[in-house]
Amino acid sequence: MIQKVKQRMNGRPLSDKSMKIYVLQLKKLNRFITGSDTDTLDSLDFIYQTDKINEFLEGKPISTKRAYYSKILALLNYDQMFNEKNNQELIEKYVGLSKDINQTITQNYNQNILTEKQQEKLIPYSQLTNWVNTLKKDRPDLYILVRLVMNEFYRNEVGSFIYISLKAYKRLVKQEGVDNLTKNYLIVGSQKVMTSRNDYKTYSVYGNKTFELKDKALNRFIRKYIRENSIEEGKPLFDFSFNQVSTQLAYNSKKSLGVELSTSSIFKITIGDYIQNHTGDQSVAYLKRVSQSRGTDMSTLTKVYLNV
């Protein structure tokens, strides 16, 4: 049912990972409302139980509410368009709730208001760099991973890089075409180190992202890490799933700092520190590079970090 809904509704296509999250969240809502743990979700009756939905969302973060409202609206629209359900009044209700939440989130961004959960995860940049340096000896894999987040602004896809030589990567692109690549690669040549990302959150919008890594010290460390760990070409650099990146970062930062860091919080700490210590023009140029590398809309970045 859910796959059918997404195929027939207009909108941005979802990646496989996003679709999995989409379905899991709807199953969770359905289980709360109906007590059923079915894998099929053949019936959409549960989305009309508004009192139960409100109970389910009570006390949840505003971003979580927005995510669920979006999914409920998609199902309501589907039910109206293809099952001729008379539910326009309910659709308008959720449209209104979504607009209210979006307005609140925008106001919070403009005023740099952070939730308690976000504040708990933000530490001074100096504390972050001190912790990262301690990883160099004990957890070189995490050291590289976090430095890539700080330098190149990657999300959790940072844990999924496949090691490949520049020569082999060029051959792969020639054979497959860059738009047909489906994995993330760390590319090592004789003179440079690069990344090619083809499986990340906003790939459906920005497509392949290939960039040369400019941090020479980090590049030397990556080469040493590959050599000392006997990583063969075509094998994972870290072999972390997206979820494992989160758990590895949270566990190790909590143990050392008392704070559970994530790629998102590391990103925010890094960006925030740069903005605080540079001029407006420098910050704009910096955010342009962030936008291009991360795959994020520039207007969103300037709104959040520059109040523009």
Side-chain angles (χ1 to χ4, degrees):
M1 167 66 76
I2 303 301
Q3 291 278 1
K4 190 176 180 182
V5 170
K6 292 308 297 178
Q7 288 169 1
R8 299 188 69 173
M9 294 298 297
N10 292 327
R12 183 179 299 169
L14 292 179
S15 67
D16 289 342
K17 287 185 176 66
S18 294
M19 173 61 77
K20 185 177 181 180
I21 294 171
Y22 186 99
V23 172
L24 286 174
Q25 288 179 331
L26 286 174
K27 285 181 179 178
K28 188 175 181 180
L29 178 61
N30 178 64
R31 185 165 56 249
F32 178 87
I33 293 173
T34 67
S36 171
D37 202 19
T38 178
D39 284 332
T40 58
L41 292 181
D42 288 330
S43 172
L44 295 179
D45 291 345
F46 71 100
I47 63 173
Y48 294 93
Q49 305 296 319
T50 55
D51 290 341
K52 280 285 191 179
I53 291 173
N54 291 337
E55 182 182 349
F56 174 79
L57 294 175
E58 185 176 359
K60 285 185 167 50
I62 192 170
S63 58
T64 301
K65 291 180 180 179
R66 178 172 66 172
Y68 273 98
Y69 288 158
S70 174
K71 294 169 180 61
I72 291 168
L73 268 172
L75 294 178
L76 288 171
N77 278 301
Y78 173 88
D79 216 14
Q80 182 185 81
M81 293 169 63
F82 300 108
N83 296 332
E84 299 183 355
K85 191 77 171 184
N86 183 17
N87 60 7
Q88 185 60 33
E89 185 175 341
L90 191 56
I91 288 175
E92 291 175 358
K93 174 184 176 178
Y94 279 106
V95 168
L97 289 171
S98 297
K99 286 182 178 178
D100 290 343
I101 280 183
N102 287 333
Q103 185 177 5
T104 300
I105 290 174
T106 299
Q107 289 173 346
N108 289 349
Y109 277 161
N110 289 341
Q111 299 172 30
N112 281 332
I113 297 175
L114 300 175
T115 66
E116 290 182 6
K117 185 177 181 181
Q118 289 171 327
Q119 289 173 350
E120 290 172 358
K121 290 187 176 182
L122 298 186
I123 59 175
Y125 182 75
S126 59
Q127 190 177 1
L128 172 64
T129 55
N130 288 339
W131 171 65
V132 173
N133 287 333
T134 67
L135 296 173
K136 213 168 187 179
K137 180 180 179 181
D138 298 330
R139 287 298 305 268
D141 54 345
L142 282 186
Y143 172 77
I144 295 171
L145 187 149
V146 176
R147 292 302 313 183
L148 288 174
V149 175
M150 295 173 71
N151 291 1
E152 308 300 328
F153 321 111
Y154 299 151
R155 301 180 182 89
N156 279 25
E157 76 272 9
V158 69
S160 63
F161 284 117
I162 303 296
Y163 162 53
I164 190 171
S165 69
L166 180 58
K167 183 178 180 180
Y169 178 74
K170 288 181 177 179
R171 185 166 58 247
L172 179 66
V173 170
K174 186 175 181 180
Q175 293 173 347
E176 303 290 337
V178 69
D179 292 334
N180 294 319
L181 299 179
T182 58
K183 297 180 180 180
N184 299 318
Y185 297 96
L186 184 125
I187 308 157
V188 178
S190 60
Q191 301 296 322
K192 57 186 177 182
V193 178
M194 306 166 63
T195 60
S196 171
R197 287 152 55 227
N198 310 281
D199 182 13
Y200 64 99
K201 184 177 180 180
T202 53
Y203 175 82
S204 62
V205 180
Y206 297 100
N208 169 270
K209 289 281 186 183
T210 301
F211 290 100
E212 181 179 349
L213 306 183
K214 299 295 187 179
D215 187 333
K216 292 183 179 180
L218 179 60
N219 290 349
R220 287 193 296 270
F221 192 86
I222 290 173
R223 293 176 188 274
K224 179 183 176 184
Y225 172 80
I226 291 171
R227 184 173 61 253
E228 291 184 349
N229 288 276
S230 303
I231 299 176
E232 298 178 4
E233 190 169 344
K235 299 296 184 180
L237 190 66
F238 311 119
D239 201 18
F240 292 153
S241 69
F242 282 40
N243 286 337
Q244 285 172 331
V245 169
S246 296
T247 56
Q248 286 284 333
L249 285 176
Y251 173 78
N252 284 278
S253 59
K254 179 73 172 180
K255 184 172 64 173
S256 299
L257 301 170
V259 176
E260 293 186 358
L261 294 178
S262 63
T263 56
S264 178
S265 56
I266 292 169
F267 170 76
K268 291 174 182 176
I269 294 166
T270 304
I271 302 300
D273 179 77
Y274 187 96
I275 300 300
Q276 288 179 359
N277 293 287
H278 292 81
T279 66
D281 288 344
Q282 290 172 327
S283 295
V284 169
Y286 179 75
L287 290 180
K288 284 182 179 178
R289 187 171 81 83
V290 173
S291 173
Q292 292 170 356
S293 179
R294 186 174 173 85
T296 299
D297 183 65
M298 180 64 181
S299 63
T300 300
L301 290 172
T302 55
K303 182 182 294 184
V304 174
Y305 293 101
L306 299 181
N307 290 336
V308 174

